Amino acid sequence: MQITNIEFNNYRNLNNLTIQFPTDISFIIGENGIGKSNILNALSKIFIYGKFADYDFTDSTKEIIVHISLALSDEEIGSFDEYTDPSNPNKINLVIKQEIDDTGFSVYHLETGEEISPRLLKNVYYIYYDSLRNPRTELSFEKDKGSGSFLNFIIKYFLEKHDEADEAYVNKEKLSEILTFINSSIGDLRTVKRNNVSVHTDSNNISFLNRVFQLYDYKDIELKNSGYGIQFSLLVIFSLFERLIDITTKAKKLGQPLEKITCILAFDEPEIHLHPFAQRALIKDLVAIAQGKDVGFNKVIKELFGINSFSAQLLIVSHSDRIISGGYENIVRLYSAGEDIKAVSGQSIKVDYAEQLKKDEKHLQRLLPYFCEALFARKVLFVEGESELGAINTFAKIMDIDLDGYGISVINTSGGDTINPMIKLFSLFQIKCLGVKDRDVYDRKHNMGTKTDDDDRLIADGRLILTKEPNFEFEIVNAFNNLEGLYSILQTVDANLVVAQQRDKVNNFIQNFNYPLVPVSKSLDWSDCNDDVKKKLFLLVALGGIKSITTGSMLAEIFTPETIPDTYKEILEQLIQ
């Protein structure tokens, strides 16, 4: 089963929140404290615990109401008796209600209003991982709860399979010799005598065996003394088995052993304590498990639990842009709308705005992995190139603007053509967007009679700004009045910039920008520049030859808050309003 839609009323801070989920994988993102974890918590209450707590009520005088829609496979039809969506037998719509004084919630079929036994919700296999766990206490063969229960289970399974008593693996005669020696060594100590302390082996030999085995890392260090990253990586995966033990054990007791499981896997920040590569590796592991493609995982669940087929819907709360995989339709973003929390789903965007996005669909899907950081921002500024990216960040520092503090992400789209589609997509995710483009391209289109309707609409909306000068390089050169000083700075940035500029390069620049000079007959050297028009030409051609974050940043550093080009000063001031 998979969750397709859910609506919360009077639950914590999620009052009047509606979410549409993809049926494969959802990355639930948003600012701290906005309610992402509350979603997974609510699902735990619904599918595992069967009751909302007093602190779950937004208003204690009103009932919690949750509408939830589930997609059922053909094999799962009947899991809720005869109740399904009248128009679709592979779907069921439920309403869950609870007053604060109720001992548990009530469940109703949406279309008929008939009450359904809450026990039927147990047919939804929901596996939840909360990152607020301690791997040092859980990852032990001794534990029969938490992730350690999986390790404990393996020993019990082995003993049962081999039909041997656990005593077969414990040589009590040898152990008694050690016990006698230990007790004789400490037995005469007054404190030991006074408190009647003695050493024994565990009477439960399975418990004894559990203490014999320990997990070690590749450096042969006991795992509880190793790094948190490895511990949490194991904890995330082992937590799946912890719940599978519970699910399969109950099924066997009912005489209904499970050979196929479709479930919902919910993870709250599984990337915690992991470095970037480990984060990406872990999410690939989880996706492979959910798709039934993890050979090792499939082997384990078949051997230990008799499960021949496993698939899952993934719900992942995350603060990391590194783990997002798939396309924009896999994003569920929570955001504040006045006093309410709202959600926008990439799945609904893909459906509702299909015509608008069709032209750029492949483009957006290809580029999204490079722009994932912006999905976590309050505001996004899209720029055309690396030089602009380096300069904007430096201008912000000069103006004493903390971009991180304002939740502003500056994204290099590597070309002006990408800016408009990205503004549209990210705006649909309810992120305030602003793009800046070089004016020369826009003007050239006008001169050629090419339509600029798309640009014009975004400019009218206040989501796109054109440079006042033809491009970034013009902005820098014209704003910095000391041309000799700028020439000297370029010498320190890259000596190759200030060598004689090739004739063809200079003439192409003159033609492309309609620069007020006749074409040159030879390469242009700084010594040939006897007026400001030629000096600016030399500097513009030189700057056009090296576009990089470093160059943009170093050029920006020569400005003061008063001399920063007006275009970029206005952009930064607009972003922090």
Side-chain angles (χ1 to χ4, degrees):
M1 294 183 203
Q2 294 103 17
I3 303 168
T4 56
N5 295 82
I6 192 163
E7 179 184 330
F8 297 99
N9 291 282
N10 202 38
Y11 178 78
R12 298 192 184 182
N13 70 328
L14 304 182
N15 192 36
N16 297 321
L17 174 69
T18 301
I19 304 173
Q20 179 179 347
F21 289 113
T23 55
D24 53 355
I25 179 171
S26 297
F27 293 96
I28 304 169
I29 65 174
E31 296 189 46
N32 287 329
I34 205 161
K36 302 182 298 298
S37 298
N38 286 346
I39 296 169
L40 304 190
N41 252 295
L43 295 173
S44 292
K45 302 289 177 70
I46 293 169
F47 296 124
I48 299 176
Y49 301 112
K51 184 183 188 304
F52 293 112
D54 291 352
Y55 54 79
D56 291 329
F57 290 76
T58 309
D59 183 343
S60 61
T61 65
K62 299 178 180 178
E63 62 183 348
I64 288 176
I65 302 177
V66 179
H67 290 77
I68 187 166
S69 298
L70 300 169
L72 312 177
S73 65
D74 291 341
E75 295 88 348
E76 291 167 336
I77 295 175
S79 297
F80 290 88
D81 296 334
E82 73 277 13
Y83 298 105
T84 56
D85 184 325
S87 63
N88 183 356
N90 294 100
K91 183 179 180 182
I92 183 166
N93 305 304
L94 303 172
V95 182
I96 297 164
K97 298 181 179 181
Q98 182 182 324
E99 299 277 1
I100 195 165
D101 294 327
D102 292 343
T103 56
F105 52 65
S106 300
V107 184
Y108 302 90
H109 181 234
L110 176 66
E111 287 80 6
T112 64
E114 293 185 30
E115 187 168 359
I116 301 173
S117 171
R119 289 197 302 273
L120 294 178
L121 289 171
K122 301 296 182 183
N123 292 328
V124 180
Y125 300 127
Y126 181 74
I127 300 177
Y128 174 47
Y129 170 82
D130 182 348
S131 60
L132 297 177
R133 301 171 72 157
N134 188 343
R136 291 184 176 179
T137 60
E138 285 195 50
L139 293 175
S140 168
F141 285 84
E142 298 177 52
K143 304 295 181 181
D144 58 4
K145 292 183 179 179
S147 295
S149 62
F150 170 57
L151 300 172
N152 190 300
F153 178 86
I154 292 174
I155 292 179
K156 291 179 181 177
Y157 174 84
F158 176 87
L159 294 173
E160 290 173 3
K161 184 177 180 181
H162 289 79
D163 196 25
E164 290 181 305
D166 48 2
E167 290 91 340
Y169 299 92
V170 180
N171 190 327
K172 289 196 170 183
E173 183 178 339
K174 289 292 184 183
L175 287 176
S176 65
E177 294 177 15
I178 300 173
L179 287 173
T180 299
F181 175 75
I182 295 172
N183 283 316
S184 66
S185 298
I186 67 173
D188 291 330
L189 296 173
R190 294 172 65 181
T191 305
V192 174
K193 280 185 177 181
R194 183 168 61 252
N195 292 287
N196 294 318
V197 173
S198 61
V199 180
H200 296 272
T201 57
D202 199 312
S203 58
N204 183 328
N205 290 315
I206 288 183
S207 296
F208 173 81
L209 289 174
N210 288 334
R211 290 173 184 159
V212 170
F213 301 107
Q214 300 293 339
L215 293 168
Y216 285 79
D217 69 9
Y218 70 101
K219 293 181 180 178
D220 209 26
I221 298 173
E222 195 172 341
L223 202 63
K224 65 183 180 183
N225 298 320
S226 184
Y228 253 10
I230 297 175
Q231 294 179 41
F232 271 93
S233 292
L234 283 176
L235 189 65
V236 170
I237 303 301
F238 283 8
S239 68
L240 305 183
F241 296 112
E242 171 194 351
R243 183 87 171 93
L244 285 176
I245 292 170
D246 181 56
I247 291 170
T248 55
T249 300
K250 288 179 179 177
K252 285 180 181 178
K253 285 181 179 179
L254 295 172
Q256 301 170 344
L258 297 170
E259 294 186 0
K260 181 177 182 179
I261 285 186
T262 301
C263 64
I264 300 164
L265 299 181
F267 296 91
D268 194 350
E269 296 186 74
E271 74 273 9
I272 282 182
H273 297 292
L274 303 183
H275 70 79
F277 291 99
Q279 289 182 25
R280 287 192 286 268
L282 176 63
I283 202 63
K284 288 175 183 176
D285 291 344
L286 295 178
V287 170
I289 287 171
Q291 294 176 344
K293 296 179 180 179
D294 188 318
V295 176
F297 181 85
N298 293 340
K299 179 182 177 182
V300 171
I301 61 174
K302 181 171 179 57
E303 168 68 23
L304 298 183
F305 309 113
I307 298 172
N308 296 317
S309 174
F310 184 93
S311 61
Q313 176 186 25
L314 277 175
L315 305 179
I316 299 176
V317 166
S318 178
H319 288 122
S320 172
D321 61 301
R322 298 183 181 96
I323 73 170
I324 292 177
S325 62
Y328 65 83
E329 65 270 20
N330 295 113
I331 304 298
V332 174
R333 182 176 182 268
L334 270 61
Y335 64 97
S336 295
E339 295 183 358
D340 294 328
I341 303 299
K342 300 293 184 183
V344 58
S345 166
Q347 180 74 23
S348 57
I349 287 175
K350 190 176 179 71
V351 174
D352 297 343
Y353 298 92
E355 193 62 33
Q356 177 181 332
L357 296 171
K358 184 182 353 181
K359 176 185 174 183
D360 300 304
E361 176 71 19
K362 291 183 179 178
H363 192 56
L364 293 171
Q365 297 287 18
R366 179 175 59 84
L367 291 173
L368 185 69
Y370 303 103
F371 302 147
C372 280
E373 176 197 310
L375 290 165
F376 293 81
R378 294 175 203 158
K379 298 180 181 180
V380 183
L381 173 63
F382 293 106
V383 299
E384 285 195 33
E386 292 186 347
S387 295
E388 291 94 322
L389 177 62
I392 283 287
N393 283 291
T394 302
F395 287 149
K397 291 176 183 176
I398 294 170
M399 294 175 65
D400 198 26
I401 295 173
D402 180 2
L403 294 176
D404 291 329
Y406 282 100
I408 297 169
S409 180
V410 184
I411 300 296
N412 167 24
T413 63
S414 299
D417 292 341
T418 309
I419 288 181
N420 290 13
M422 284 300 162
I423 289 175
K424 294 173 189 175
L425 176 63
F426 280 77
S427 295
L428 292 174
F429 275 105
Q430 300 303 310
I431 299 171
K432 293 182 179 179
C433 297
L434 185 62
V436 56
K437 283 186 177 183
D438 291 340
R439 173 172 291 279
D440 64 304
V441 177
Y442 179 87
D443 289 344
R444 200 171 295 132
K445 286 181 179 179
H446 262 295
N447 294 335
M448 294 172 60
T450 306
K451 290 184 177 180
T452 57
D453 296 352
D454 202 28
D455 284 342
D456 293 333
R457 279 190 292 269
L458 291 175
I459 291 169
D461 289 343
R463 292 187 288 169
L464 180 65
I465 291 177
L466 301 178
T467 56
K468 290 180 172 59
E469 302 288 348
N471 60 22
F472 170 76
E473 287 76 27
F474 273 90
E475 294 276 358
I476 293 296
V477 172
N478 288 333
F480 197 72
N481 294 321
N482 183 357
L483 300 180
E484 290 286 350
L486 183 54
Y487 174 79
S488 299
I489 290 168
L490 292 185
Q491 284 182 309
T492 64
V493 173
D494 186 344
N496 292 322
L497 283 175
V498 292
V499 296
Q501 304 301 313
Q502 296 176 356
R503 182 190 64 183
D504 291 344
K505 197 174 180 182
V506 173
N507 288 336
N508 285 336
F509 186 92
I510 291 173
Q511 180 180 352
N512 290 337
F513 290 95
N514 196 25
Y515 201 76
L517 277 178
V518 296
V520 297
S521 58
K522 63 182 184 64
S523 294
L524 183 67
D525 191 78
W526 183 253
S527 59
D528 301 323
C529 301
N530 49 16
D531 59 31
D532 284 354
V533 176
K534 286 186 178 178
K535 286 178 180 178
K536 285 185 178 181
L537 172 64
F538 181 95
L539 293 170
L540 289 167
V541 174
L543 286 175
I546 178 168
K547 297 176 181 288
S548 70
I549 293 175
T550 302
T551 302
S553 180
M554 292 184 71
L555 288 170
E557 286 174 357
I558 66 179
F559 292 92
T560 65
E562 294 74 30
T563 61
I564 289 173
D566 289 341
T567 297
Y568 302 106
K569 189 185 300 183
E570 291 171 9
I571 286 170
L572 288 167
E573 289 172 346
Q574 182 173 331
L575 284 170
I576 63 175
Q577 289 176 358

